[in-house]
């Protein structure tokens, strides 16, 4: 008898079951899927029909092993979708009672366990309304009191039109408080339903929910509620659209949210754009995931070959290494072979090193650059400008705009950098010349900003030659002119066909000029993701002025947080309320509609009289989280103000009575694979941890007291520096998945809510209780 192979996909809700049930369930399903794909007729699979699902769907159960079963949907011959997993003696009963529907909004296949839902919803007894004066004269008719029900003001039609699964409506009508809602949402419910209910409960009106949430999930075509075959094929019904990726997901720790794409994310990852495209969104909204899937989609469209025509880049080497690792998990070695993955500074350095006879010099770090500005100012006797301003002006005006002379600098626009008189520019240019002379002294030195600016110049010159060659060919009939191209080899071709940029908000103008010149303007040339709310460097640019235009639907925003709980997210959002942020161009961006479907602990606040006591308090809390709750030390991180504080914190953790292993976060990531991570808030960028401890969130540290020198002399710069400090704290706070702890010594930062700081628990109480005392909720 011929073996019959079968195509298998896994639904998002089934993937949640896999994660909930653990490694054994993952291995059992993985083995089952492999056997099913190999031979559908194998009787050992024990596939049993359960009931029909519409016109072209058949539900069936399968025995995975001695304790586990799965519910599957067959919609076409030898094409099945795993819908749910259960284990234990009642596994079959639980699977058979599941309600399976097609959502009329998203078109996806969704499940609800009515018995499980009912067990987690406490129904209040029906109580008659108090009789009115009119009612005393008429027969008594008991009516249901709906005034205490959470969703009483929304009728069934409104809820289902927004995307709530209809089979859940009876249970929703019984909800009376937030704890019941949290218990309900903790069940394995469809994501769209969770998203809508949270938004409505949070105060969002139905029209805003329809605009910010429902529209993103809405299917591209008409949804037939009886066409199960089409529903099963929709991306919203699968954690991956490729069978091989499903098997990889079952056998690895690659999180479901890194494989499953929200419908809006799927559209962005696979869309065709006439030119460049931009995706913005708050922390944890999956921007990087979209970028990775975008890379895979672009590679899939390439002609076979051995070149690397797609560039994936970000602002530092640590994040570039993480992108490489995650892209390999997503697409394997075959995908990596067609992609160049480098940080922008590494890319710039390689370009400059390609130029024969061009001295490069040793790059110096930011601290060394500021020290050199100090030296120059002292030697010249110019003390009007502080070194941070000089370094910023040098990077973001002079180098960014290619100002090679004082006359060019005089004409350079300085939007957003405050008023600057002509005489001041003349004096500053003199300092620039002295600074350049210092760098040119033996041993030759340079800055990363200089390298980026030089790389941009080289690439712009190269692209000009490419365009000139193209025009020459067109004028001469489009033939290859061997005599003209002799010796140039690959030189007269653009470096890349497509460029994908992660953490776009932290790239400088020089970086963007370089990238713009590396790919010819055209379809799908540059795809960038970022968030100005997370900008921690002074790299604000207007992309449109640099030839990267993302009009209309080429500019999209993600709003659903997949990482941080609602409680942490709400507190983090409060840190930047009232601030105005750009959209990585000349528009304004907001966090309207930004939300999470996760629930957890409220952020905890603790105060200490001094730094030593604060460090001991944090050590006590860390040890308590590890010993009592089993949180691995590697899953916790502590932010500190600077390197000296990091060393002090590490010593405090290491000494008795704590004896906690710790490692500092460097440019390349943690210096050791073991121990609590310690680093500045800057080092937290792009990372995530189970529990995060933000220390020294004190007035004078956050924001740093040095910005006070600008409060009167340069109000615009003062506002910019304060906003950067808020963004940095916002970034650090949103690195936490489960718990955020904020501590300070002395006076609390003005960024923290006053009412919460007044109720914060004292450090002496924590030290006395061994960490078991909860702090005030932020």
């Amino acid at each position: 008898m011929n073996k019959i192979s079968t195509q298998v996909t896994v639904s998002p809700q089934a993937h949640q079951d896999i994660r909930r049930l653990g490694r054994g369930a993952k291995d059992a399903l993985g083995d089952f899927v492999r056997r099913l794909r190999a031979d559908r007729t194998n009787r050992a699979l024990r596939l049993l029909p359960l009931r029909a699902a519409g016109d072209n769907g058949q539900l069936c159960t399968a025995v995975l092993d001695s304790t586990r079963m799965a519910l599957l949907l067959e919609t076409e011959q030898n094409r099945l979708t795993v819908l749910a997993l259960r284990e234990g003696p009642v596994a079959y009963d639980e699977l058979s009672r599941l309600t399976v529907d097609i959502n009329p909004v998203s078109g996806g296949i969704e499940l609800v366990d009515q018995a499980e839902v009912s067990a987690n919803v406490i129904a209040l007894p029906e109580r008659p309304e108090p009789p009115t004066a009119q009612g005393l004269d008429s027969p008594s008719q008991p009516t249901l009191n709906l005034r205490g029900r959470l969703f009483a003001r929304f009728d069934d039609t409104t809820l289902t039109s927004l995307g709530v699964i209809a089979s859940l409506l009876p249970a929703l009508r019984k909800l009376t408080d937030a704890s019941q809602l949290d218990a309900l949402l903790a069940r394995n419910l469809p994501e769209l339903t969770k998203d809508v209910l949270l938004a409505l409960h949070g105060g969002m009106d139905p029209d805003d929910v329809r605009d910010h949430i429902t529209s993103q999930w809405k299917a591209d075509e008409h949804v037939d509620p009886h066409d199960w075959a089409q529903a099963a094929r929709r991306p919203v019904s699968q954690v991956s659209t490729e069978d091989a990726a499903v098997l990889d997901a079952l056998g690895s720790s690659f999180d479901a949210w890194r494989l499953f794409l929200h419908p809006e994310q799927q559209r962005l990852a696979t869309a065709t754009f006439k030119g460049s495209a931009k995706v913005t969104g708050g922390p944890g909204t999956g921007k990087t995931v979209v970028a990775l899937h975008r890379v895979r989609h672009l590679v899939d469209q390439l002609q076979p070959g051995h070149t690397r025509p797609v560039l994936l880049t970000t602002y530092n080497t640590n994040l570039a290494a993480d992108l490489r690792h995650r892209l390999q998990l997503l697409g394997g070695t075959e995908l990596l072979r067609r992609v160049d993955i480098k940080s922008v500074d590494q890319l710039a350095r390689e370009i400059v090193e390609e130029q024969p006879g061009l001295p490069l010099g040793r790059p110096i770090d930011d601290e060394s650059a500021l020290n050199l500005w100090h030296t120059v100012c002292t030697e010249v006797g110019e003390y009007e400008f502080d070194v941070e301003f000089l370094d910023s002006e040098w990077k973001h005006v002079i180098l960014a705009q290619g100002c090679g002379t004082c006359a060019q600098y005089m004409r350079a626009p300085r939007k957003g950098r405050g008023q600057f008189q002509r005489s001041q520019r003349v004096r500053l240019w003199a300092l620039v010349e002295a600074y350049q002379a210092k760098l040119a002294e033996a041993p030759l030195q340079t800055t990363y900003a200089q390298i980026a600016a030089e790389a941009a110049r080289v690439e712009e010159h190269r692209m000009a030659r490419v365009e000139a060659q193209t025009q020459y060919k067109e004028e001469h009939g489009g033939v290859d002119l061997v005599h003209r191209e002799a010796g140039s080899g690959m030189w007269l071709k653009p470096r890349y066909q497509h460029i994908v940029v992660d953490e776009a908000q932290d790239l400088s103008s020089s970086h963007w000029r370089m990238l713009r010149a590396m790919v010819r303007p055209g379809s799908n040339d540059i795809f960038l993701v970022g968030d100005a709310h997370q900008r921690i460097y002074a790299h604000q640019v207007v992309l449109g002025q640099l030839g990267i235009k993302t009009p209309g639907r080429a500019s999209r925003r993600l709003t659903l947080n997949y990482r941080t709980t609602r409680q942490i997210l709400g507190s983090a959002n409060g840190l930047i309320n009232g601030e105005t942020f750009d959209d990585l161009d000349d528009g304004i961006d907001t966090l309207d509609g930004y939300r999470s479907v996760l629930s957890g602990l409220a952020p905890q606040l603790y105060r200490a009289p001094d730094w030593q006591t604060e460090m001991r308090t944090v050590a006590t809390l860390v040890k308590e989280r590890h010993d009592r709750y089993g949180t691995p030390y590697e899953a916790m991180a502590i932010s500190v103000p600077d390197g000296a504080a990091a060393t002090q914190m590490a010593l405090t953790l290491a000494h008795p009575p704590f004896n906690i292993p710790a490692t500092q976060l460097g440019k390349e990531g943690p210096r050791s694979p073991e121990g609590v991570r310690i680093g500045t808030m800057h080092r937290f960028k792009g990372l995530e941890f189970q529990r995060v401890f933000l220390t020294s969130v004190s007035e004078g540290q956050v924001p740093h007291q040095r910005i006070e020198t600008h409060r009167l002399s340069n109000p615009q710069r003062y506002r910019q520096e304060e906003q950067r400090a808020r963004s940095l704290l916002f970034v650090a706070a949103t690195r936490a998945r489960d718990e955020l702890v904020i501590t300070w010594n002395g006076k609390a930062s003005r960024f923290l809510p006053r009412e919460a700081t007044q109720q914060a628990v004292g450090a002496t109480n924590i030290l006395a209780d061994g960490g078991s005392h909860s702090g005030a909720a932020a």
Side-chain angles (χ1 to χ4, degrees):
M1 183 170 58
N2 294 331
K3 294 182 178 180
I4 302 175
S5 62
T6 304
Q7 185 175 4
V8 183
T9 58
V10 176
S11 74
Q13 286 182 261
H15 208 300
Q16 291 299 319
D17 288 340
I18 296 169
R19 299 178 71 191
R20 175 176 56 86
L21 297 176
R23 179 86 189 185
K26 179 187 297 184
D27 293 342
L29 181 61
D31 178 65
F32 171 80
V33 169
R34 289 182 179 89
R35 289 186 290 126
L36 181 63
R37 291 180 67 221
D39 183 10
R40 165 69 183 274
T41 63
N42 183 354
R43 293 186 178 181
L45 294 173
R46 288 182 282 181
L47 279 169
L48 299 174
L50 182 63
R51 62 178 181 270
D55 299 331
N56 55 7
Q58 173 66 49
L59 291 171
C60 56
T61 60
V63 178
L64 304 184
D65 57 21
S66 60
T67 62
R68 302 175 181 91
M69 296 186 69
L71 178 68
L72 298 96
L73 172 69
E74 183 168 20
T75 53
E76 302 170 57
Q77 186 174 10
N78 300 316
R79 179 184 176 89
L80 291 98
T81 300
V82 181
L83 299 180
L85 277 75
R86 296 293 186 270
E87 62 183 13
V90 295
Y92 178 82
D93 293 337
E94 292 180 353
L95 292 175
S96 62
R97 74 190 184 205
L98 290 175
T99 301
V100 185
D101 291 310
I102 296 174
N103 189 296
V105 172
S106 69
I109 299 172
E110 299 180 338
L111 297 83
V112 171
D113 187 333
Q114 299 292 348
E116 186 182 46
V117 166
S118 297
N120 288 276
V121 176
I122 304 173
L124 291 179
E126 295 187 0
R127 295 170 297 178
E129 291 281 3
T132 62
Q134 180 181 1
L136 293 175
D137 298 326
S138 58
S140 177
Q141 296 291 334
T143 58
L144 187 63
N145 178 13
L146 296 178
R147 289 181 296 180
R149 305 297 167 92
L150 292 186
F151 298 99
R153 64 189 185 279
F154 308 114
D155 59 34
D156 289 355
T157 302
T158 298
L159 292 175
T160 55
S161 70
L162 294 176
V164 175
I165 189 167
S167 57
L168 195 64
L169 292 176
L172 290 180
R173 296 307 178 195
K174 299 177 182 179
L175 296 178
T176 58
D177 59 48
S179 63
Q180 288 178 315
L181 178 61
D182 285 340
L184 178 64
L185 296 180
R187 304 302 96 196
N188 191 359
L189 297 180
E191 290 298 323
L192 175 55
T193 291
K194 286 185 178 181
D195 209 359
V196 171
L197 294 179
L198 280 170
L200 293 174
H201 180 62
M204 190 180 291
D205 65 61
D207 288 339
D208 286 339
V209 172
R210 190 169 283 105
D211 291 341
H212 290 295
I213 299 175
T214 308
S215 63
Q216 294 184 0
W217 285 86
K218 193 172 179 60
D220 291 331
E221 71 288 329
H222 170 71
V223 174
D224 182 346
H226 306 291
D227 191 345
W228 291 86
Q230 180 63 24
R233 286 184 173 275
R234 290 190 178 98
V236 71
S237 297
Q238 308 169 38
V239 290
S240 175
T241 56
E242 296 184 9
D243 209 31
V246 172
L247 295 178
D248 291 341
L250 295 178
S252 73
S253 60
F254 202 42
D255 291 340
W257 67 268
R258 290 179 168 180
L259 279 177
F260 169 65
L261 291 182
H262 182 289
E264 179 70 1
Q265 295 173 324
Q266 177 75 21
R267 295 185 188 102
L268 294 172
T270 59
T272 297
F273 298 98
K274 294 181 179 179
S276 301
K278 175 184 66 180
V279 177
T280 59
T285 53
K287 298 183 297 298
T288 299
V289 179
V290 172
L292 293 171
H293 280 266
R294 181 67 178 174
V295 169
R296 185 172 72 170
H297 172 74
L298 293 172
V299 169
D300 288 344
Q301 312 307 309
L302 296 174
Q303 295 294 325
H306 302 285
T307 59
R308 299 176 185 265
V310 179
L311 170 67
L312 174 60
T313 189
T314 188
Y315 81 97
N316 70 20
T317 53
N318 188 27
L319 291 181
D322 181 64
L323 290 175
R324 176 180 295 277
H325 172 69
R326 293 168 66 176
L327 193 63
Q328 183 169 24
L329 288 175
L330 183 62
T333 304
E334 290 300 316
L335 177 58
L336 290 182
R337 287 197 182 109
R338 305 304 307 275
V339 185
D340 231 356
I341 308 173
K342 298 173 182 175
S343 72
V344 284
D345 283 330
Q346 177 189 356
L347 189 63
R349 184 180 179 88
E350 291 178 359
I351 290 170
V352 176
E353 287 176 339
E354 288 177 358
Q355 309 309 305
L358 186 63
L360 182 60
R362 178 181 63 84
I364 60 176
D365 58 27
D366 291 341
E367 184 176 354
S368 298
L370 294 179
N371 290 336
L372 190 58
W373 280 113
H374 271 297
T375 300
V376 168
C377 289
T378 302
E379 291 181 356
V380 174
E382 177 64 76
Y383 302 105
E384 179 182 352
F385 314 108
D386 64 85
V387 295
E388 288 85 1
F389 172 77
L390 290 171
D391 195 57
S392 178
E393 189 80 359
W394 161 249
K395 290 177 180 177
H396 305 305
V397 178
I398 296 172
L399 290 178
Q401 299 184 45
C403 300
T405 66
C406 184
Q408 290 175 325
Y409 176 48
M410 292 296 173
R411 297 191 298 269
R414 301 177 66 261
K415 182 180 179 181
R417 297 186 62 83
Q419 297 296 321
F420 210 47
Q421 298 177 357
R422 180 180 180 84
S423 59
Q424 291 176 303
R425 292 202 193 198
V426 171
R427 295 204 309 276
L428 191 145
W429 186 259
L431 292 174
V432 168
E433 291 181 326
Y435 183 74
Q436 291 176 305
K438 279 289 183 184
L439 289 171
E441 292 178 357
L444 183 64
Q445 299 180 108
T446 188
T447 67
Y448 288 104
Q450 277 182 296
I451 294 174
E454 181 61 24
R457 185 194 65 79
V458 169
E459 286 303 296
E460 287 169 344
H461 177 68
R462 169 181 173 155
M463 184 56 77
R465 292 186 60 194
V466 170
E467 297 300 346
Q469 180 79 327
T470 301
Q471 182 178 354
Y472 188 87
K473 285 184 178 182
E474 291 175 352
E475 292 174 351
H476 291 78
V479 297
D480 290 332
L481 305 175
V482 178
H483 69 281
R484 183 178 175 87
E485 298 180 356
S488 65
M490 296 293 292
W491 177 249
L492 292 181
K493 296 181 180 179
R495 284 190 184 265
Y496 300 105
Q497 293 180 32
H498 311 286
I499 293 177
V500 177
V501 184
D502 189 31
E503 300 289 357
Q505 74 279 352
D506 287 318
L507 271 62
S508 69
S509 293
S510 296
H511 292 141
W512 287 115
R513 285 173 48 213
M514 174 186 73
L515 294 176
R516 175 67 281 177
M518 285 182 163
V519 59
R520 177 177 277 127
S523 177
N524 301 321
D525 54 357
I526 298 177
F527 185 92
L528 61 101
V529 301
D531 177 25
H533 300 87
Q534 300 183 66
R535 183 182 290 120
I536 60 176
Y537 302 107
H539 290 336
Q540 183 173 348
V541 299
V542 179
L543 292 174
Q545 296 178 359
L546 299 171
I548 304 171
K549 301 184 183 298
T550 56
R553 295 186 64 82
S555 182
R556 309 297 284 274
R557 189 165 65 93
L558 301 175
T559 55
L560 180 60
N561 183 296
Y562 292 85
R563 178 181 65 223
T564 307
T565 65
R566 300 197 301 277
Q567 291 78 6
I568 294 175
L569 195 61
S571 296
N573 287 350
L575 297 172
I576 54 176
N577 279 348
E579 297 288 334
T580 301
F581 294 85
D582 63 272
D583 64 349
L584 310 184
D585 216 322
D586 56 1
I588 300 299
D589 192 19
T590 72
L591 290 179
D592 291 347
Y594 183 42
R595 64 215 183 275
S596 171
V597 296
L598 306 175
S599 181
L601 298 172
Q604 306 294 304
L605 274 64
Y606 300 92
R607 64 178 185 274
D610 53 62
W611 174 232
Q612 293 296 327
T613 305
E614 184 180 357
M615 286 192 293
R616 291 174 54 225
T617 300
V618 171
T620 301
L621 294 171
V622 168
K623 187 170 182 62
E624 191 258 354
R625 267 57 172 176
H626 176 268
D627 294 346
R628 177 176 296 187
Y629 302 111
T631 306
Y633 285 129
E634 294 73 27
M636 293 186 276
I638 303 171
S639 80
V640 291
D642 49 43
T647 301
Q648 294 166 358
M649 180 64 75
L651 290 173
T652 300
L653 294 175
H655 286 170
F658 307 113
N659 303 314
I660 298 172
T663 181
Q664 294 190 31
L665 290 169
K667 288 184 177 180
E668 307 300 324
R671 297 174 183 174
S672 169
E674 300 178 351
V676 178
R677 275 54 174 150
I678 303 176
T680 63
M681 291 185 189
H682 286 85
R683 295 284 185 234
F684 280 25
K685 186 68 180 292
L687 304 177
E688 61 180 66
F689 307 95
Q690 191 171 339
R691 303 181 192 272
V692 168
F693 300 80
L694 304 183
T695 71
S696 291
V697 188
S698 312
E699 192 65 21
Q701 284 286 358
V702 183
H704 199 278
Q705 60 186 2
R706 61 174 169 265
I707 77 168
E708 294 301 321
T709 60
H710 310 302
R711 184 188 285 269
L712 298 178
S713 62
N714 193 340
Q716 185 171 10
R717 183 177 174 191
Y718 177 82
R719 288 191 296 272
Q720 291 173 340
E721 294 293 340
E722 189 174 52
Q723 185 183 76
R724 284 178 57 195
R726 285 186 182 274
S727 292
L728 186 58
L729 186 58
F730 174 73
V731 167
T734 53
R735 301 307 95 190
R737 295 199 304 262
D738 299 337
E739 184 181 22
L740 173 65
V741 176
I742 300 175
T743 67
W744 67 89
N745 63 83
K747 184 179 180 181
S749 168
R750 60 180 178 268
F751 292 169
L752 299 177
R754 185 176 179 182
E755 61 276 9
T757 60
Q758 291 175 339
Q759 299 174 14
V761 172
T764 53
N765 296 332
I766 298 302
L767 297 176
D769 296 343
S772 61
H773 201 300
S774 296

